[in-house]
Amino acid sequence: MLNNINKDNWERPVYYAITIGDFPFNVAGQRILEGINYRIVPGTVDLGGLNPEIMFDNMVNKYERGGIENPNISLDENNLRMCRTFRMMFASLVPALINEGKDEKALIALDKCIEAIPGYTVPRGDESRVFANCYYVLGQPEKARNIINEITYRSGKSLDWFARMNANDMIACTYEIRDALLTEIQILESYQQYDKTLYEAQRQKVISQTELFLNNGVRFGENSHPLDYLM
């Protein structure tokens, strides 16, 4: 690699996968996201750390995902983590395309993500809220609501289950309850910004859920109290 940099004047690209974690050298200002990999470049990056055109081609046209859209397959935790990594890269790509005014490409990439990494094989969490927001921005409210329904189906079912517990068991599950409630609050924020017709019903739902858990001894940190978001 040093020979390539010092003698070949960067003629061969240098990449590293995002899945390795922190790169052993400080290259935060010299890397460009091009898919599930970073490309290290000389000088200072001036693209927001992402090359939308190359990343679009990689994510939409080139990468293969092994048929994970098949509803009959079962993915273990390692495969699920990799699929969520692909999903998070789409979550970086689509807003970048929208910010550049490339709405048509953004919609193509977004539809590709939803089709190729569906919620029925890779369950959705709050990482998918960005897709709903982008669908709203792109004038596709029904698709946005479908994504939100997939997200809140899981968080809502979890909260319903916690609500049937006795108080001691609820308190023991405080962390999980907080996590599920945070997902519901984030959806509330999306409705407030993009879909006010659904906002009030979601707001009342979150208030009711929060009061139930508070009345049974579940406590929230000073900086993460659900009702703080609703004032």
PDB file of all heavy atoms in Angstrom, residues 142-158:
ATOM      1  N   GLU A 142     -47.879   7.090   0.793  1.00  0.00           N
ATOM      2  CA  GLU A 142     -48.342   5.731   1.083  1.00  0.00           C
ATOM      3  C   GLU A 142     -47.164   4.798   1.344  1.00  0.00           C
ATOM      4  O   GLU A 142     -47.211   3.954   2.250  1.00  0.00           O
ATOM      5  CB  GLU A 142     -49.203   5.217  -0.068  1.00  0.00           C
ATOM      6  CG  GLU A 142     -50.586   5.842  -0.112  1.00  0.00           C
ATOM      7  CD  GLU A 142     -51.344   5.686   1.199  1.00  0.00           C
ATOM      8  OE1 GLU A 142     -51.316   4.565   1.762  1.00  0.00           O
ATOM      9  OE2 GLU A 142     -51.930   6.672   1.671  1.00  0.00           O
ATOM     10  N   LYS A 143     -46.107   4.959   0.550  1.00  0.00           N
ATOM     11  CA  LYS A 143     -44.921   4.141   0.790  1.00  0.00           C
ATOM     12  C   LYS A 143     -44.297   4.495   2.140  1.00  0.00           C
ATOM     13  O   LYS A 143     -43.792   3.609   2.853  1.00  0.00           O
ATOM     14  CB  LYS A 143     -43.909   4.349  -0.340  1.00  0.00           C
ATOM     15  CG  LYS A 143     -44.344   3.744  -1.669  1.00  0.00           C
ATOM     16  CD  LYS A 143     -43.271   3.939  -2.741  1.00  0.00           C
ATOM     17  CE  LYS A 143     -43.670   3.289  -4.050  1.00  0.00           C
ATOM     18  NZ  LYS A 143     -42.640   3.456  -5.112  1.00  0.00           N
ATOM     19  N   ALA A 144     -44.333   5.771   2.491  1.00  0.00           N
ATOM     20  CA  ALA A 144     -43.801   6.194   3.789  1.00  0.00           C
ATOM     21  C   ALA A 144     -44.591   5.538   4.919  1.00  0.00           C
ATOM     22  O   ALA A 144     -44.003   5.020   5.883  1.00  0.00           O
ATOM     23  CB  ALA A 144     -43.853   7.714   3.908  1.00  0.00           C
ATOM     24  N   ARG A 145     -45.904   5.547   4.808  1.00  0.00           N
ATOM     25  CA  ARG A 145     -46.741   4.964   5.859  1.00  0.00           C
ATOM     26  C   ARG A 145     -46.545   3.461   5.954  1.00  0.00           C
ATOM     27  O   ARG A 145     -46.603   2.885   7.048  1.00  0.00           O
ATOM     28  CB  ARG A 145     -48.205   5.300   5.594  1.00  0.00           C
ATOM     29  CG  ARG A 145     -48.520   6.782   5.778  1.00  0.00           C
ATOM     30  CD  ARG A 145     -49.869   7.153   5.212  1.00  0.00           C
ATOM     31  NE  ARG A 145     -50.081   8.601   5.226  1.00  0.00           N
ATOM     32  CZ  ARG A 145     -50.911   9.240   4.417  1.00  0.00           C
ATOM     33  NH1 ARG A 145     -51.618   8.561   3.516  1.00  0.00           N
ATOM     34  NH2 ARG A 145     -51.024  10.550   4.495  1.00  0.00           N
ATOM     35  N   ASN A 146     -46.313   2.801   4.826  1.00  0.00           N
ATOM     36  CA  ASN A 146     -46.049   1.364   4.864  1.00  0.00           C
ATOM     37  C   ASN A 146     -44.786   1.056   5.661  1.00  0.00           C
ATOM     38  O   ASN A 146     -44.746   0.094   6.444  1.00  0.00           O
ATOM     39  CB  ASN A 146     -45.917   0.811   3.446  1.00  0.00           C
ATOM     40  CG  ASN A 146     -47.241   0.766   2.710  1.00  0.00           C
ATOM     41  OD1 ASN A 146     -48.310   0.760   3.324  1.00  0.00           O
ATOM     42  ND2 ASN A 146     -47.195   0.726   1.388  1.00  0.00           N
ATOM     43  N   ILE A 147     -43.745   1.863   5.458  1.00  0.00           N
ATOM     44  CA  ILE A 147     -42.506   1.665   6.216  1.00  0.00           C
ATOM     45  C   ILE A 147     -42.762   1.895   7.698  1.00  0.00           C
ATOM     46  O   ILE A 147     -42.328   1.106   8.564  1.00  0.00           O
ATOM     47  CB  ILE A 147     -41.404   2.623   5.714  1.00  0.00           C
ATOM     48  CG1 ILE A 147     -41.044   2.329   4.258  1.00  0.00           C
ATOM     49  CG2 ILE A 147     -40.161   2.526   6.599  1.00  0.00           C
ATOM     50  CD1 ILE A 147     -40.484   0.963   4.020  1.00  0.00           C
ATOM     51  N   ILE A 148     -43.471   2.969   8.023  1.00  0.00           N
ATOM     52  CA  ILE A 148     -43.757   3.270   9.429  1.00  0.00           C
ATOM     53  C   ILE A 148     -44.572   2.157  10.066  1.00  0.00           C
ATOM     54  O   ILE A 148     -44.331   1.769  11.220  1.00  0.00           O
ATOM     55  CB  ILE A 148     -44.477   4.623   9.541  1.00  0.00           C
ATOM     56  CG1 ILE A 148     -43.483   5.754   9.258  1.00  0.00           C
ATOM     57  CG2 ILE A 148     -45.112   4.803  10.919  1.00  0.00           C
ATOM     58  CD1 ILE A 148     -44.085   7.132   9.229  1.00  0.00           C
ATOM     59  N   ASN A 149     -45.524   1.607   9.337  1.00  0.00           N
ATOM     60  CA  ASN A 149     -46.331   0.509   9.877  1.00  0.00           C
ATOM     61  C   ASN A 149     -45.468  -0.708  10.195  1.00  0.00           C
ATOM     62  O   ASN A 149     -45.703  -1.403  11.197  1.00  0.00           O
ATOM     63  CB  ASN A 149     -47.430   0.128   8.888  1.00  0.00           C
ATOM     64  CG  ASN A 149     -48.527   1.170   8.807  1.00  0.00           C
ATOM     65  OD1 ASN A 149     -48.689   1.982   9.718  1.00  0.00           O
ATOM     66  ND2 ASN A 149     -49.284   1.166   7.721  1.00  0.00           N
ATOM     67  N   GLU A 150     -44.472  -0.981   9.349  1.00  0.00           N
ATOM     68  CA  GLU A 150     -43.568  -2.096   9.632  1.00  0.00           C
ATOM     69  C   GLU A 150     -42.744  -1.826  10.890  1.00  0.00           C
ATOM     70  O   GLU A 150     -42.485  -2.738  11.687  1.00  0.00           O
ATOM     71  CB  GLU A 150     -42.640  -2.337   8.445  1.00  0.00           C
ATOM     72  CG  GLU A 150     -43.333  -2.913   7.223  1.00  0.00           C
ATOM     73  CD  GLU A 150     -42.335  -3.272   6.125  1.00  0.00           C
ATOM     74  OE1 GLU A 150     -41.206  -3.668   6.445  1.00  0.00           O
ATOM     75  OE2 GLU A 150     -42.685  -3.144   4.941  1.00  0.00           O
ATOM     76  N   ILE A 151     -42.325  -0.586  11.059  1.00  0.00           N
ATOM     77  CA  ILE A 151     -41.517  -0.232  12.239  1.00  0.00           C
ATOM     78  C   ILE A 151     -42.360  -0.335  13.512  1.00  0.00           C
ATOM     79  O   ILE A 151     -41.959  -0.953  14.500  1.00  0.00           O
ATOM     80  CB  ILE A 151     -40.938   1.183  12.090  1.00  0.00           C
ATOM     81  CG1 ILE A 151     -39.974   1.260  10.906  1.00  0.00           C
ATOM     82  CG2 ILE A 151     -40.223   1.606  13.373  1.00  0.00           C
ATOM     83  CD1 ILE A 151     -39.544   2.673  10.558  1.00  0.00           C
ATOM     84  N   THR A 152     -43.532   0.305  13.489  1.00  0.00           N
ATOM     85  CA  THR A 152     -44.334   0.373  14.709  1.00  0.00           C
ATOM     86  C   THR A 152     -45.034  -0.945  15.023  1.00  0.00           C
ATOM     87  O   THR A 152     -45.458  -1.150  16.166  1.00  0.00           O
ATOM     88  CB  THR A 152     -45.382   1.499  14.600  1.00  0.00           C
ATOM     89  OG1 THR A 152     -46.189   1.302  13.427  1.00  0.00           O
ATOM     90  CG2 THR A 152     -44.708   2.853  14.510  1.00  0.00           C
ATOM     91  N   TYR A 153     -45.139  -1.828  14.036  1.00  0.00           N
ATOM     92  CA  TYR A 153     -45.687  -3.154  14.346  1.00  0.00           C
ATOM     93  C   TYR A 153     -44.817  -3.839  15.396  1.00  0.00           C
ATOM     94  O   TYR A 153     -45.320  -4.397  16.371  1.00  0.00           O
ATOM     95  CB  TYR A 153     -45.759  -4.006  13.081  1.00  0.00           C
ATOM     96  CG  TYR A 153     -46.231  -5.431  13.346  1.00  0.00           C
ATOM     97  CD1 TYR A 153     -47.584  -5.713  13.465  1.00  0.00           C
ATOM     98  CD2 TYR A 153     -45.308  -6.468  13.488  1.00  0.00           C
ATOM     99  CE1 TYR A 153     -48.017  -7.010  13.720  1.00  0.00           C
ATOM    100  CE2 TYR A 153     -45.730  -7.765  13.745  1.00  0.00           C
ATOM    101  CZ  TYR A 153     -47.087  -8.031  13.859  1.00  0.00           C
ATOM    102  OH  TYR A 153     -47.507  -9.312  14.123  1.00  0.00           O
ATOM    103  N   ARG A 154     -43.508  -3.750  15.202  1.00  0.00           N
ATOM    104  CA  ARG A 154     -42.587  -4.409  16.146  1.00  0.00           C
ATOM    105  C   ARG A 154     -42.537  -3.675  17.478  1.00  0.00           C
ATOM    106  O   ARG A 154     -42.653  -4.285  18.542  1.00  0.00           O
ATOM    107  CB  ARG A 154     -41.184  -4.497  15.539  1.00  0.00           C
ATOM    108  CG  ARG A 154     -41.065  -5.523  14.435  1.00  0.00           C
ATOM    109  CD  ARG A 154     -39.720  -5.441  13.742  1.00  0.00           C
ATOM    110  NE  ARG A 154     -38.595  -5.523  14.662  1.00  0.00           N
ATOM    111  CZ  ARG A 154     -38.116  -6.645  15.192  1.00  0.00           C
ATOM    112  NH1 ARG A 154     -38.694  -7.802  14.897  1.00  0.00           N
ATOM    113  NH2 ARG A 154     -37.074  -6.635  15.989  1.00  0.00           N
ATOM    114  N   SER A 155     -42.358  -2.360  17.439  1.00  0.00           N
ATOM    115  CA  SER A 155     -42.271  -1.616  18.699  1.00  0.00           C
ATOM    116  C   SER A 155     -43.600  -1.670  19.448  1.00  0.00           C
ATOM    117  O   SER A 155     -43.621  -1.795  20.687  1.00  0.00           O
ATOM    118  CB  SER A 155     -41.860  -0.165  18.440  1.00  0.00           C
ATOM    119  OG  SER A 155     -42.784   0.490  17.586  1.00  0.00           O
ATOM    120  N   GLY A 156     -44.704  -1.582  18.710  1.00  0.00           N
ATOM    121  CA  GLY A 156     -46.011  -1.629  19.356  1.00  0.00           C
ATOM    122  C   GLY A 156     -46.299  -2.970  20.009  1.00  0.00           C
ATOM    123  O   GLY A 156     -46.823  -3.032  21.130  1.00  0.00           O
ATOM    124  N   LYS A 157     -45.965  -4.057  19.316  1.00  0.00           N
ATOM    125  CA  LYS A 157     -46.165  -5.389  19.894  1.00  0.00           C
ATOM    126  C   LYS A 157     -45.305  -5.575  21.141  1.00  0.00           C
ATOM    127  O   LYS A 157     -45.728  -6.187  22.128  1.00  0.00           O
ATOM    128  CB  LYS A 157     -45.836  -6.460  18.861  1.00  0.00           C
ATOM    129  CG  LYS A 157     -46.845  -6.590  17.728  1.00  0.00           C
ATOM    130  CD  LYS A 157     -48.184  -7.101  18.230  1.00  0.00           C
ATOM    131  CE  LYS A 157     -49.151  -7.318  17.090  1.00  0.00           C
ATOM    132  NZ  LYS A 157     -50.490  -7.764  17.556  1.00  0.00           N
ATOM    133  N   SER A 158     -44.083  -5.038  21.093  1.00  0.00           N
ATOM    134  CA  SER A 158     -43.211  -5.137  22.271  1.00  0.00           C
ATOM    135  C   SER A 158     -43.821  -4.393  23.451  1.00  0.00           C
ATOM    136  O   SER A 158     -43.867  -4.910  24.581  1.00  0.00           O
ATOM    137  CB  SER A 158     -41.825  -4.561  21.951  1.00  0.00           C
ATOM    138  OG  SER A 158     -41.167  -5.339  20.977  1.00  0.00           O
TER     139      SER A 158
END
